[in-house]
Amino acid sequence: MSTIAASPGISGTASALRRLYFVRFAFAIVWALAMFTTASNLGPLAVTLLVLYPLFDVAAAVIDARASRATGSPALLYVNVAVSLITAIGVAIACASGIPAVLRVWGAWAVVAGLVQLIVGVTRRKMGGQWPMIISGGVSVLAGASFVVGAAAANPTLTNAAGYAIPGGVFFLISALRLGRAAKGN
């Protein structure tokens, strides 16, 4: 059994991230379930959900950046904020052009956000609970590439984009659970 010798900064950051990760898990699951009901077309609910997801990511990255100041530079998290804001705007615009355009924007975002998540997870390894975030970042990169490729399919659908949120949410849940010891300072 390994123990984590956590400084007060790491303990506080781990506690804040743990709460954030639980919220991100719940949001991802609820969002995916709602998105599955509308994934066949770009109606008003689907458009709203597609814009809401990267905006939620903006809020989560801001909270993460504030919580992480004691343990390192939040610069990459601010990159994620910018990328997710641009994505929300891009998705809103792409919705007027159809599902293939949405999948291209969504895919590019998943690649960039996945790379950021992977790098942030690697830099936080000493905190504990970050392997799920590292794996999730890698999965996001691969999923993003598949969305871009899938945009060229004969009948592209948003189902895979909806499904993308579920494993991401599960990785946030696993990471939140694993951060429990670091949050307690053990």
Side-chain angles (χ1 to χ4, degrees):
M1 180 198 269
S2 67
T3 59
I4 300 168
S7 71
I10 289 176
S11 178
T13 300
S15 181
L17 290 179
R18 188 168 196 251
R19 287 189 303 272
L20 176 62
Y21 290 177
F22 279 129
V23 170
R24 290 192 76 160
F25 161 72
F27 177 82
I29 299 304
V30 170
W31 182 90
L33 293 175
M35 191 64 203
F36 275 128
T37 66
T38 65
S40 61
N41 63 55
L42 280 173
L45 179 59
V47 171
T48 301
L49 289 169
L50 287 165
V51 172
L52 180 63
Y53 198 93
L55 289 177
F56 181 83
D57 196 54
V58 167
V62 168
I63 292 167
D64 191 335
R66 287 182 181 161
S68 302
R69 286 188 184 138
T71 58
S73 171
L76 280 174
L77 295 167
Y78 290 122
V79 168
N80 194 52
V81 167
V83 168
S84 293
L85 275 174
I86 292 166
T87 299
I89 295 165
V91 165
I93 293 168
C95 284
S97 297
I99 291 175
V102 171
L103 288 173
R104 286 183 194 99
V105 172
W106 195 267
W109 173 55
V111 168
V112 174
L115 286 171
V116 169
Q117 184 178 19
L118 191 151
I119 294 167
V120 169
V122 167
T123 63
R124 291 180 174 166
R125 274 189 338 267
K126 66 182 176 190
M127 181 186 313
Q130 293 304 300
W131 280 107
M133 295 295 89
I134 294 167
I135 294 166
S136 179
V139 169
S140 184
V141 170
L142 296 174
S146 77
F147 298 147
V148 172
V149 170
N155 290 315
T157 177
L158 297 170
T159 304
N160 289 343
Y164 164 74
I166 293 172
V170 170
F171 281 121
F172 276 113
L173 175 63
I174 294 167
S175 190
L177 295 171
R178 292 184 51 95
L179 278 170
R181 285 200 321 231
K184 292 175 186 167
N186 295 333

